[in-house]
Amino acid sequence: MSDVFIDHLSFALGDETHSVEDAAKNGKTLSTAAVLREAGFIQHHVCRDGASAYDLAKRAVEPIREKLGDIGAIVYATCIPINGNIGSFDKYRQSRDVKHLMDFPASHLQADFGLQRAIVLGLNQQACTGLLGSLEVARMLLLTEPETRRVLCVTSDRFPTDALYEQSYNLISDGAAACVVSMEPKGYRLVAWHGITNGAMSQASDDETVGSYFNHTHRLIQETFSKAKLTIQDIAWVVPQNTNMKAWQILSRLLPIEFKRVYFRSVPEVAHLISGDNIVNLKYLDDEGTIRPGEKALLVMAGYGLNWQCVILEKR
Amino acid sequence: MAKSCVMITAGDGYLGLQVATRYLERTDEPVLIWVHAQEQPDFQAKQQRVASQLNRFADRLTFGGGDLVDEQPFQGVKPERVKLIIHSAAVTRFNVDADTAQQVNVEGATKLMEFASRCPSLQAIGLMSTVYTSGLRAGPIREVAFDDSGGFANHYERSKWQAETMLMSQFAELPWRVLRVATAIADDESGKVTQQNAFHNTLKLFFYGLLSLIPGKPQTPLYFVTGRFAADAVFELMQQPASQMIYHIAHTRQESASLGELIDSAFEVFLQEEDFKQRRLLKPLYTDAEAFDLLVQGVNSFGGGVVNQAVSSVAPFARQLFIDKAIENQHLVERLSAYRAPDPRQLVRSACEYLIQTRWGRTR
């Protein structure tokens, strides 16, 4: 198998910052502020009125504009499918023309960043696991389409204005994340990817989602190791989604790996950035210089669908 | 002069009522059913419920009531009328708080023992207890008095141990017998379940996909009985002339299923259910005690009310699921006329089938 690499990590957050207390006071959460604080959350980020998920995507890609190079494909993931259209529903209602339901942000991104050779793919049914899914789609494109040498992976979501910003007991932030996947040996080598979908639980309640979390995540990781012919001893860092910290204290005992090797330092200040958490945390880890060349990181995500995805990366 | 009677505390409870029924069906003794009731309307309601179930024995049935936390809960019962006492009243929840356990299970039992001391024609007093008064000790668990050196998993265990110790030390002159019962998971071998406890709550969480962790080791033996076996044994053991005896109303380690076998058997049954199969729920992962403690702490913030309630009911028993006890039942086997242990895995399967059919009692 030819190797593919992930580099140029970037993210953007909703432009307004609110404390958990404000979020609870404003009716944005189901849990109390105290419970969310105990889970590890301190604040979250919300788009101002009028700002779209696409605005977030642009802000996430802008810092790596110069690094994009010859992008052959854009894989644009959204957790909430409505963020995969920036057209006006009102215009559709007025005109009854469905083109207003097909105003795709990936196409805009291609145009706005001048990525003329890029084809676009939307990924909108993997929920929080979408960004990890996009890495695998990128890998497949790179290995099967000779003219595609670089793929831009983007995930971007903002919640509807009146939505709760709590899902499965986690505090949510609007935000976007991006990275470039290529065959250029820089950044992180994509060692393995694995996913599980349990469609029968697509409309699972919050309690069912939590109820299935530990054993499915454990299975996901074991199957990923099996695929990659690795064990937990080969993993230097676990880079999970921003969820209740106790959940990973438990999972770290089950794997087992020392809890200090579970890196999700962004939980308090970023909250759960839908499918961008892994990129945010990996960027923190990278910027700090904590992860060393040759070390492997296990990126784990669970999301509605129900979907679980896992990626093993190796730092170059 | 009225014939002296058999008095059963919590005689309207799960085991108490079954024992009372055996006395009524198999002897000609009058039975006094003492029920927990703080107020008269509560007493009347409980009396009516039991009387309607046992109306064919109305002429031999009397009732008393009170609250074990009262100063004199048995003041309505004449000591000279009582010749045999079975004390089954207790708070049996694993998550009972320390104060309640002390007040009801220890001090309440002491009041009963004091009352028994005043019964001039008392022939036997049976204290219903639990095999888990052995606390956290592993290895052979003999039918002897325990000390508290091993510690306990919860206040329920400790309080029942204290009650046993009180009976055997400060009321040693009474014609006592201690009846340590294992966990009743079904009424009988058909698997029918009338009373649910932490066992049933835990299986419910697994069936509905609300819990994916189980504390304990798969090889830990679990001690289950049926309500019928327990009630038959209590009845028969109370007929024995020998006093100052301890009995384990339980099956041995060789006759019992392990935690792993319980989970495997339950999932075998669950998987016969189409909607369970479709949901592709996985078996729970075995966790260490610390990880389960974290789940218990965390369930407040990442679990809803149902999960929280159920996990809280299981958690105080969790430490037992790591301890390999080898319960012995020699005294029991010697005294029972026809001791027989059921196939433990089949018993679990039958109970699971009943629970699924009735959706844990909702469609009984």
Side-chain angles (χ1 to χ4, degrees):
Chain A
M1 183 181 105
S2 301
D3 287 332
V4 302
F5 300 86
I6 291 154
D7 202 5
H8 309 306
L9 312 175
S10 178
F11 68 91
L13 301 170
D15 24 35
E16 293 178 1
T17 304
H18 300 284
S19 67
V20 285
E21 286 73 18
D22 284 345
K25 200 170 69 188
N26 295 332
K28 295 291 184 188
T29 67
L30 293 167
S31 302
T32 63
V35 163
L36 290 168
R37 270 195 184 263
E38 198 187 324
F41 302 107
I42 290 177
Q43 61 183 35
H44 74 143
H45 305 270
V46 177
C47 284
R48 63 184 150 71
D49 283 348
S52 68
Y54 178 61
D55 294 328
L56 286 168
K58 280 194 294 186
R59 282 174 50 210
V61 177
E62 190 57 46
I64 56 171
R65 178 190 281 268
E66 302 305 322
K67 314 281 186 188
L68 294 176
D70 181 20
I71 297 290
I74 298 168
V75 184
Y76 193 106
T78 63
C79 177
I80 305 177
I82 55 168
N83 286 325
N85 172 45
I86 58 176
S88 160
F89 193 74
D90 286 343
K91 282 185 182 165
Y92 158 70
R93 293 286 292 273
Q94 285 158 17
S95 64
R96 295 163 56 213
D97 185 342
V98 295
K99 79 175 180 193
H100 298 294
L101 305 180
M102 294 186 286
D103 195 357
F104 301 120
S107 300
H108 284 266
L109 199 70
Q110 188 234 32
D112 287 348
F113 284 83
L115 307 172
Q116 286 148 6
R117 232 176 50 76
I119 59 152
V120 298
L121 291 90
L123 203 58
N124 68 0
Q125 294 183 27
Q126 296 194 333
C128 301
T129 67
L131 193 276
L132 296 189
S134 73
L135 300 182
E136 173 62 2
V137 171
R139 187 188 69 81
M140 291 191 283
L141 281 169
L142 290 167
L143 297 181
T144 55
E145 298 296 330
E147 70 276 20
T148 303
R149 309 298 296 170
R150 295 171 75 78
V151 177
L152 172 62
C153 291
V154 182
T155 177
S156 183
D157 280 284
R158 73 153 293 171
F159 272 25
T161 315
D162 56 351
L164 287 168
Y165 272 73
E166 181 180 334
Q167 282 288 301
S168 300
Y169 308 103
N170 296 311
L171 184 66
I172 305 293
S173 279
D174 294 330
C179 63
V180 174
V181 184
S182 74
M183 302 188 83
E184 190 181 356
K186 284 183 177 172
Y188 293 86
R189 181 170 71 91
L190 177 54
V191 178
W193 168 92
H194 185 58
I196 296 174
T197 298
N198 186 347
M201 293 183 71
S202 59
Q203 279 299 295
S205 68
D206 284 354
D207 282 345
E208 287 168 327
T209 305
V210 173
S212 61
Y213 181 72
F214 295 104
N215 50 6
H216 275 88
T217 304
H218 188 266
R219 172 178 277 197
L220 170 80
I221 292 169
Q222 298 309 323
E223 288 178 354
T224 310
F225 284 153
S226 168
K227 225 174 184 177
K229 297 186 172 56
L230 295 173
T231 69
I232 191 69
Q233 281 76 36
D234 298 306
I235 301 299
W237 300 100
V238 175
V239 182
Q241 70 199 102
N242 287 346
T243 186
N244 189 309
M245 289 184 166
K246 280 211 169 65
W248 268 97
Q249 283 178 280
I250 295 168
L251 271 167
S252 66
R253 296 187 74 90
L254 293 170
L255 288 174
I257 190 167
E258 284 178 288
F259 183 58
K260 67 180 184 188
R261 292 276 165 187
V262 179
Y263 190 96
F264 49 176
R265 259 197 52 194
S266 71
V267 171
E269 60 195 59
V270 173
H272 176 30
L273 192 67
I274 318 294
S275 83
D277 288 344
N278 303 122
I279 294 295
V280 176
N281 284 318
L282 190 62
K283 185 164 168 52
Y284 272 49
L285 192 64
D286 205 85
D287 289 351
E288 283 175 357
T290 309
I291 187 166
R292 290 177 305 210
E295 285 188 335
K296 291 186 180 67
L298 179 79
L299 281 56
V300 189
M301 271 286 189
Y304 279 96
L306 290 179
N307 290 292
W308 292 264
Q309 293 198 44
C310 186
V311 158
I312 298 174
L313 301 178
E314 184 184 76
K315 170 79 174 164
R316 292 284 301 165
Chain B
M1 188 178 149
K3 200 173 171 188
S4 52
C5 68
V6 174
M7 170 177 162
I8 302 170
T9 66
D12 61 331
Y14 178 67
L15 275 180
L17 184 59
Q18 292 190 59
V19 174
T21 307
R22 277 152 183 75
Y23 274 97
L24 292 165
E25 286 174 344
R26 298 178 190 180
T27 73
D28 57 0
E29 310 281 6
V31 172
L32 187 158
I33 287 183
W34 187 92
V35 300
H36 170 240
Q38 290 168 320
E39 306 290 342
Q40 191 63 14
D42 188 21
F43 172 71
Q44 281 170 345
K46 287 182 173 175
Q47 180 181 354
Q48 247 168 22
R49 186 175 62 82
V50 176
S52 68
Q53 287 181 58
L54 300 174
N55 60 359
R56 63 192 192 278
F57 304 109
D59 56 332
R60 287 162 53 206
L61 199 54
T62 53
F63 290 88
D67 192 337
L68 287 175
V69 303
D70 289 346
E71 212 169 306
Q72 293 181 307
F74 304 105
Q75 65 176 356
V77 184
K78 291 184 176 142
E80 57 276 13
R81 271 200 63 205
V82 177
K83 71 166 186 181
L84 192 141
I85 299 172
I86 296 164
H87 183 50
S88 71
V91 179
T92 58
R93 296 189 309 271
F94 294 140
N95 58 354
V96 62
D97 63 90
D99 285 348
T100 307
Q102 176 69 22
Q103 285 172 15
V104 177
N105 295 355
V106 182
E107 291 164 21
T110 308
K111 290 168 195 167
L112 188 274
M113 293 167 206
E114 285 163 353
F115 170 80
S117 304
R118 299 198 302 275
C119 297
S121 48
L122 188 73
Q123 292 170 11
I125 172 172
L127 174 68
M128 300 280 276
S129 191
T130 166
V131 291
Y132 291 103
T133 54
S134 55
L136 297 173
R137 60 167 55 77
I141 305 295
R142 303 201 168 87
E143 291 159 295
V144 296
F146 300 131
D147 60 34
D148 62 347
S149 57
F152 298 94
N154 52 56
H155 300 302
Y156 167 64
E157 292 176 3
R158 176 181 290 281
S159 64
K160 293 302 286 182
W161 169 80
Q162 281 180 284
E164 282 187 9
T165 307
M166 179 76 70
L167 179 63
M168 291 185 267
S169 56
Q170 297 191 34
F171 296 89
E173 75 289 353
L174 290 175
W176 60 261
R177 53 214 70 190
V178 170
L179 309 163
R180 293 179 182 148
V181 185
T183 309
I185 63 165
D187 296 357
D188 52 39
E189 290 179 47
S190 74
K192 183 182 177 194
V193 178
T194 306
Q195 175 159 293
Q196 295 183 31
N197 53 40
F199 167 87
H200 310 92
N201 287 341
T202 308
L203 291 178
K204 190 200 277 184
L205 291 180
F206 292 147
F207 183 78
Y208 288 107
L210 299 173
L211 184 64
S212 54
L213 301 175
I214 178 97
K217 296 177 184 167
Q219 65 271 24
T220 303
L222 299 175
Y223 293 94
F224 299 138
V225 288
T226 65
R228 173 179 288 176
F229 173 82
D232 283 342
V234 170
F235 174 75
E236 215 172 317
L237 295 171
M238 290 303 290
Q239 311 300 308
Q240 296 292 323
S243 287
Q244 278 77 36
M245 289 294 292
I246 297 170
Y247 299 100
H248 286 168
I249 301 178
H251 306 295
T252 63
R253 192 183 193 288
Q254 289 70 34
E255 296 163 336
S256 297
S258 66
L259 177 60
E261 288 171 325
L262 160 67
I263 300 295
D264 290 349
S265 300
F267 271 73
E268 273 170 31
V269 177
F270 291 174
L271 282 165
Q272 288 166 15
E273 190 72 7
E274 202 44 51
D275 69 319
F276 181 87
K277 199 170 163 181
Q278 205 175 32
R279 283 182 292 149
R280 292 163 52 203
L281 295 171
L282 303 177
K283 283 183 191 173
L285 298 169
Y286 296 94
T287 66
D288 58 19
E290 291 76 7
F292 196 74
D293 284 347
L294 286 166
L295 178 70
V296 174
Q297 292 162 27
V299 86
N300 282 322
S301 48
F302 57 76
V306 182
V307 183
N308 196 342
Q309 216 175 353
V311 168
S312 304
S313 77
V314 178
F317 188 69
R319 290 169 75 188
Q320 292 290 4
L321 300 176
F322 295 91
I323 297 172
D324 193 341
K325 291 176 186 292
I327 303 276
E328 297 184 1
N329 64 0
Q330 210 176 335
H331 293 172
L332 175 86
V333 174
E334 283 167 7
R335 299 301 192 291
L336 290 193
S337 52
Y339 172 84
R340 189 183 69 82
D343 174 344
R345 286 160 289 278
Q346 184 53 46
L347 179 60
V348 167
R349 280 194 286 271
S350 300
C352 287
E353 280 164 7
Y354 182 85
L355 292 169
I356 292 174
Q357 275 162 20
T358 62
R359 288 298 188 264
W360 273 256
R362 278 186 301 171
T363 58
R364 193 179 292 155

